[in-house]
Amino acid sequence: MILSLKWLHDFIDVSDIDIKTFCEDMTVSGSKVETYEELGKEIENVRVGLITKIEQHPDAERLVICQVNFGDRDLQIVTAAKNVFEGALVPVAVSPEGEKVVAKLAHGVEIKTGKLRGVTSEGMFCSIEELGLDTHDMPGAPTDGILILNDYPCKAGDDIHDVLMLSDTAVEFEITPNRPDCLSVIGLARETSATFRRPLNIPTPAVKGSDGNVRDYVNVSVDSKKCSRYCARVVKNVKIAPSPLWLRMRLRAAGVRPINNIVDITNYVMIEYGQPMHAFDYSCLDGHEIVVREAGDGEIFRTLDSQERALTPDMLVIADKDRPVGIAGVMGGENSEITDSTQTVVFESACFDGSSVRITAKKLGMRTESSARFEKGLDCENCLPALQRACELVELLGAGEVVDGIIDVYPEKKPVYTVPFEPEKINRFLGIFLSPDNMKEILRSLCFDVEDGKVIVPSYRDDVRCMNDVAEEIVRIYGYNKIESSSIIAQMTQGGLPADVKFREGLSEHLCALGLDEICTFTFIPARIYTKSGMAEDDPRRKSLEIANPFGEDTKTLRTTSVPSMLEILELNYNRSNPTASLFEMAKVFIPREGVVTNIHGLEGTLPDERIKVTVGFYGAGGFSRIKGVCEEILRFAGIDNAKYVAVTDDPTFHPGRCAKIVLADGTDLGRFGELHPVTRENYTFSCPVYLAELDLELIREHSVSEKKYKPLPKFPAVSRDFSLVCDEEIEVGTLEEAMSSCGVKILESITLFDVYRGSQLPEGKKSVSFSVMLRAADHTLTVDEADKATKKILGTLEYKLGVTIRS
């Protein structure tokens, strides 16, 4: 919002306040000033001159020598202008008498005394361009000649700033969306009055009117709830002409281009009252009626910018009997615009739904000054005063005769909102000590009333709805800088990360220490990646949620497993000729909940089960033993020591003979690991074995043991026994280890596998498994008999439970 200080002076006198003080204090009180510009400041030493005599230049046909009077002296000026004449009043750039100061014009142009073809010229006549103006600011002024001032109230010697009203200060405010009332001169005048505690004068518009009745001219009907109020008046015998200079200069200072008196009046009222208005040519309204309705589907409308717009049923239009004549709150139509031949005008002042205006403007790509105000929510009570002000200006400018009567369609009057007045609570909330009377004084300076223990909120302040809002109004005028600093009184707690985050970060550090690099991949993947990673069409992991507004087809599916993402990154490294890659990720997956449709539009509020998987993958950096060792380290970090490894042969992603799942004693399946299936490997570009693991981090944390018990180093030596066992091919090594551990030998300390043999020396369907068993007693050195007895018991248990024999 650009505010003209001259315009502001109509409502409040701040002429004695320095501009910097004005900007600083307004910013502190809540109306942030972005910048300000002193208009006309770049023009110096330009005065009105009276041409008393014109003579031909002796040495140039196109030049004339003019004698110019300035009231206190006469000067000679040489010019090539063709529109000058004796008796003409013209703007002249000339230095003060007796000084060598140059005159300055717009765009940094400087004028000095000089000679033209040997004749002294003591200044220069000015055109509108040299004064920083254009034909919109000065209608009728020549673009290629000197500005003639004979029609303006001035005399020789007058300063051009006073004659053309060039001097003003334009202050640009940054208005927050919750304060649409400040998108007006009157709104900022209210803020200025409260900030500087000065009286505010907002006169009530006075309209004399003329004969006739507005309802004999036009009928208005509102067929949509998106329009809460619609006011209209008719002006007859309209005289289309340029607006007077004072009005044009005010619009120019506010950044609005003058057009003609009727259009300028609507723009003037919009800036002054913050209420957008529109003027229709009455002769263009078919049926002489106005209907506020939704647009028809596919209805075509040509706006004032000569563009055809395709409308939709959610857009609000102003129509006559047969067709739209304006898009509500956005722009009028070319079929009803004001022209030089317009004789009767219908002024519109209405309040449209802000959301509807915003959606319409955005869809049509035509955000205007009007839509920018409507979309923030305007005050219904402002419609009629703004309309009356427009009609007052019509009479003031002699632009037409206002027909008696007002059309005001206002089905539901806006209720008056009140907030309890709670001084003590406000003081506690703000940390200040203001008396109730001081609070009332501040609120009344902001045009709030306080009666019977209630704050009566003005109709234009929809942002004030509770005690906190009232407190904010009080403190911003009281002054934030007056609030004394105080110590925070609160119960301090020790900060720290949540337990799950600490566990995850600790595990990440542990995996990095094992030589793995952490990666981070997208949780949304293309559905085809499931097929590439070897999943069958009926694999339950394919049942995935889909994003409603994906970036593209490749980012549409929320993954249910992190293995495909890991394979993509491993493949990327392999294709870039990295000889080895060892990676891990704490990957989030999304599992649809049972009984819920998989399309995210039909979730009915139910969210998927979000889980974190510890995913490990590598190539060229070890084999099956390493991937198993990494899984064992993960379990060791969590303090889990009751896990067993069970072979898995039906997972299409993994090699059927080199895959296992980790199962706890209570049957909890933590995940699986192994070598990538050869068929799946062919879907990628790997020519070497790839090893993967995917474990459920949340299950691991649930079964983790946070307290670690100290175990002292052994004081007595151990006894080692090595033996090779012959067993059936289908018996797993883990089964053998579990049988040995459960045989009841208390001095059994550890079991280590060191060889597996298959060959012609063994019967068909058999294999040889070699273990090293460590035996140790905690309180004495073992004897040979004790060691032999323990070994015999271990071997006997294996033979009894599994039919295992010693290899001879």
Side-chain angles (χ1 to χ4, degrees):
M1 171 68 190
I2 300 176
L3 174 68
S4 160
L5 289 191
K6 277 192 174 180
W7 202 336
L8 180 67
H9 290 164
D10 287 355
F11 307 101
I12 182 172
D13 184 13
V14 290
S15 56
D16 60 329
I17 300 176
D18 176 74
I19 181 60
K20 290 186 178 181
T21 302
F22 176 82
C23 294
E24 289 173 3
D25 289 0
M26 289 295 287
T27 298
V28 169
S29 68
S31 303
K32 182 184 177 184
V33 175
E34 285 290 309
T35 185
Y36 70 89
E37 180 184 1
E38 297 183 66
L39 303 178
K41 188 177 181 180
E42 61 180 348
I43 298 173
E44 296 180 7
N45 300 325
V46 177
R47 299 167 63 190
V48 177
L50 172 64
I51 301 176
T52 57
K53 185 178 181 181
I54 299 178
E55 297 177 339
Q56 181 64 45
H57 193 290
D59 296 325
E61 289 184 14
R62 297 183 179 181
L63 299 179
V64 294
I65 304 171
C66 301
Q67 302 300 321
V68 184
N69 175 261
F70 292 94
D72 56 351
R73 58 177 173 153
D74 294 304
L75 295 177
Q76 177 176 283
I77 295 175
V78 180
T79 182
K82 297 180 179 179
N83 66 326
V84 295
F85 55 90
E86 292 183 1
L89 292 169
V90 294
V92 185
V94 58
S95 300
E97 185 176 8
E99 298 183 19
K100 296 183 178 180
V101 180
V102 298
K104 296 180 180 179
L105 303 179
H107 316 300
V109 176
E110 296 184 352
I111 304 299
K112 300 179 181 179
T113 299
K115 289 186 177 183
L116 292 176
R117 291 290 185 94
V119 177
T120 300
S121 181
E122 298 175 284
M124 187 184 83
F125 297 151
C126 300
S127 65
I128 57 173
E129 182 179 0
E130 288 156 342
L131 296 175
L133 305 172
D134 57 30
T135 53
H136 293 285
D137 303 321
M138 306 298 293
T143 57
D144 56 352
I146 303 305
L147 175 62
I148 305 300
L149 300 173
N150 290 54
D151 293 335
Y152 291 84
C154 61
K155 63 182 185 301
D158 288 350
D159 192 313
I160 200 65
H161 291 89
D162 300 328
V163 175
L164 299 183
M165 303 181 183
L166 296 179
S167 296
D168 199 350
T169 301
V171 183
E172 183 177 353
F173 288 86
E174 179 187 323
I175 305 300
T176 53
N178 66 316
R179 294 298 307 274
D181 60 298
C182 288
L183 290 171
S184 65
V185 177
I186 289 177
L188 290 173
R190 293 191 191 104
E191 292 296 307
T192 304
S193 173
T195 300
F196 295 99
R197 307 294 176 91
R198 298 197 173 192
L200 178 68
N201 177 36
I202 303 177
T204 302
V207 182
K208 298 176 182 178
S210 63
D211 59 339
N213 190 312
V214 67
R215 297 192 180 275
D216 295 334
Y217 284 82
V218 65
N219 181 54
V220 175
S221 60
V222 177
D223 297 339
S224 174
K225 292 183 178 180
K226 295 178 182 178
C227 176
S228 54
R229 189 176 190 181
Y230 194 97
C231 301
R233 291 201 74 165
V234 173
V235 178
K236 64 181 181 179
N237 298 328
V238 170
K239 302 177 183 64
I240 303 297
S243 298
L245 178 65
W246 65 267
L247 194 149
R248 298 199 308 267
M249 290 299 103
R250 285 193 176 182
L251 290 178
R252 177 176 177 269
V256 177
R257 186 181 70 182
I259 298 175
N260 59 50
N261 51 3
I262 298 298
V263 176
D264 291 350
I265 285 172
T266 61
N267 287 333
Y268 188 93
V269 172
M270 178 181 69
I271 296 169
E272 187 172 70
Y273 277 73
Q275 173 64 42
M277 292 186 60
H278 190 68
F280 299 103
D281 188 326
Y282 175 73
S283 65
C284 297
L285 298 177
D286 293 345
H288 294 165
E289 65 177 290
I290 291 175
V291 181
V292 184
R293 60 171 174 83
E294 272 86 12
D297 191 11
E299 195 168 17
I300 303 299
F301 178 63
R302 192 177 183 87
T303 48
L304 282 171
D305 56 1
S306 301
Q307 299 290 321
E308 289 192 347
R309 316 279 181 175
L311 308 180
T312 56
D314 59 343
M315 298 178 181
L316 193 66
V317 299
I318 312 301
D320 57 19
K321 182 181 179 181
D322 302 314
R323 56 181 182 165
V325 293
I327 301 175
V330 182
M331 187 179 286
E334 200 175 58
N335 56 9
S336 62
E337 73 173 312
I338 304 301
T339 64
D340 291 343
S341 60
T342 298
Q343 296 181 347
T344 306
V345 166
V346 178
F347 276 122
E348 163 197 281
S349 179
C351 190
F352 304 114
D353 179 68
S355 299
S356 173
V357 173
R358 177 174 173 78
I359 291 170
T360 300
K362 195 169 185 180
K363 279 187 176 181
L364 297 177
M366 49 186 302
R367 195 166 187 264
T368 60
E369 284 287 337
S370 175
S371 69
R373 284 169 166 78
F374 272 118
E375 67 187 26
K376 294 175 178 62
L378 297 184
D379 177 24
C380 299
E381 298 295 322
N382 198 32
C383 293
L384 189 55
L387 180 63
Q388 291 291 82
R389 175 59 169 160
C391 293
E392 180 184 49
L393 287 171
V394 168
E395 294 180 341
L396 180 66
L397 272 55
E401 300 173 15
V402 181
V403 176
D404 283 339
I406 303 171
I407 294 177
D408 186 5
V409 182
Y410 196 10
E412 296 182 14
K413 186 174 176 62
K414 186 175 182 179
V416 177
Y417 203 91
T418 61
V419 178
F421 181 54
E422 303 168 296
E424 293 182 4
K425 193 173 181 180
I426 291 171
N427 276 330
R428 287 198 307 270
F429 180 70
L430 297 175
I432 60 177
F433 302 96
L434 271 180
S435 68
D437 289 340
N438 286 338
M439 291 185 184
K440 290 178 182 179
E441 181 185 352
I442 291 174
L443 290 172
R444 288 183 177 125
S445 73
L446 289 166
C447 301
F448 290 78
D449 285 332
V450 183
E451 296 178 2
D452 301 326
K454 293 182 179 180
V455 178
I456 302 172
V457 181
S459 62
Y460 51 84
R461 291 301 304 273
D462 289 338
D463 59 311
V464 178
R465 287 296 178 265
C466 63
M467 182 279 293
N468 295 16
D469 298 328
V470 174
E472 181 184 3
E473 295 300 302
I474 291 171
V475 74
R476 70 185 180 89
I477 301 301
Y478 171 72
Y480 291 106
N481 56 341
K482 296 180 182 178
I483 300 177
E484 295 183 4
S485 301
S486 60
S487 301
I488 297 176
I489 302 175
Q491 183 178 0
M492 304 302 292
T493 58
Q494 184 175 0
L497 296 173
D500 58 334
V501 176
K502 288 179 67 175
F503 183 85
R504 186 166 65 246
E505 291 190 354
L507 182 55
S508 294
E509 293 178 2
H510 193 67
L511 291 173
C512 288
L514 295 176
L516 302 173
D517 296 315
E518 187 171 10
I519 63 171
C520 182
T521 59
F522 289 119
T523 56
F524 29 83
I525 59 175
R528 65 176 183 275
I529 204 173
Y530 288 143
T531 302
K532 188 177 180 181
S533 61
M535 292 186 194
E537 291 296 330
D538 59 349
D539 194 309
R541 290 174 293 179
R542 282 180 173 269
K543 186 181 179 182
S544 307
L545 296 175
E546 292 185 352
I547 300 174
N549 55 341
F551 298 138
E553 287 298 318
D554 287 348
T555 56
K556 186 176 182 181
T557 304
L558 287 172
R559 66 187 178 190
T560 58
T561 173
S562 56
V563 168
S565 301
M566 175 60 72
L567 287 172
E568 291 290 312
I569 302 301
L570 287 172
E571 183 185 38
L572 178 65
N573 280 269
Y574 188 82
N575 289 339
R576 293 186 177 178
S577 301
N578 287 336
T580 64
S582 299
L583 310 174
F584 79 94
E585 180 183 12
M586 302 295 177
K588 182 174 285 189
V589 298
F590 301 82
I591 311 299
R593 297 187 187 275
E594 197 66 31
V596 179
V597 293
T598 57
N599 191 317
I600 201 165
H601 294 293
L603 279 178
E604 299 180 355
T606 303
L607 296 175
D609 182 14
E610 299 183 23
R611 305 192 70 81
I612 297 178
K613 301 285 187 177
V614 184
T615 314
V616 179
F618 59 81
Y619 66 83
F624 184 84
S625 297
R626 188 191 180 203
I627 194 67
K628 182 185 178 186
V630 171
C631 293
E632 290 174 338
E633 281 297 323
I634 293 173
L635 299 182
R636 186 175 293 113
F637 172 83
I640 298 174
D641 58 4
N642 61 344
K644 61 180 180 179
Y645 303 90
V646 181
V648 176
T649 59
D650 59 352
D651 191 322
T653 302
F654 292 95
H655 192 296
R658 299 169 190 169
C659 177
K661 62 181 179 180
I662 304 175
V663 183
L664 301 183
D666 61 359
T668 302
D669 186 349
L670 297 182
R672 56 194 59 191
F673 63 90
E675 182 182 331
L676 186 64
H677 197 291
V679 175
T680 305
R681 192 175 70 189
E682 290 179 1
N683 295 336
Y684 294 87
T685 57
F686 302 112
S687 60
C688 62
V690 177
Y691 297 91
L692 300 164
E694 184 184 41
L695 309 181
D696 194 311
L697 178 65
E698 294 180 29
L699 290 177
I700 292 173
R701 195 177 74 83
E702 287 175 11
H703 291 82
S704 64
V705 179
S706 58
E707 292 185 2
K708 305 293 191 300
K709 292 184 178 181
Y710 170 72
K711 186 177 181 181
L713 293 173
K715 296 180 180 180
F716 301 95
V719 175
S720 177
R721 290 287 189 267
D722 296 343
F723 38 80
S724 297
L725 307 175
V726 177
C727 64
D728 293 337
E729 180 67 46
E730 62 269 14
I731 297 178
E732 300 172 1
V733 171
T735 304
L736 295 173
E737 292 180 346
E738 185 180 359
M740 287 187 281
S741 298
S742 62
C743 69
V745 177
K746 295 182 179 180
I747 60 174
L748 177 60
E749 184 176 80
S750 65
I751 304 168
T752 304
L753 172 73
F754 65 85
D755 184 49
V756 177
Y757 171 75
R758 297 175 179 86
S760 58
Q761 298 181 19
L762 296 174
E764 186 176 351
K766 299 291 184 178
K767 64 181 177 182
S768 172
V769 184
S770 299
F771 292 96
S772 177
V773 176
M774 192 72 69
L775 305 171
R776 191 195 306 268
D779 55 354
H780 67 280
T781 301
L782 289 176
T783 63
V784 175
D785 288 341
E786 287 177 315
D788 289 344
K789 184 178 179 180
T791 302
K792 185 177 180 180
K793 188 173 183 180
I794 292 171
L795 295 176
T797 301
L798 290 172
E799 184 175 5
Y800 173 75
K801 288 186 175 181
L802 304 173
V804 176
T805 60
I806 293 292
R807 180 182 174 190
S808 58

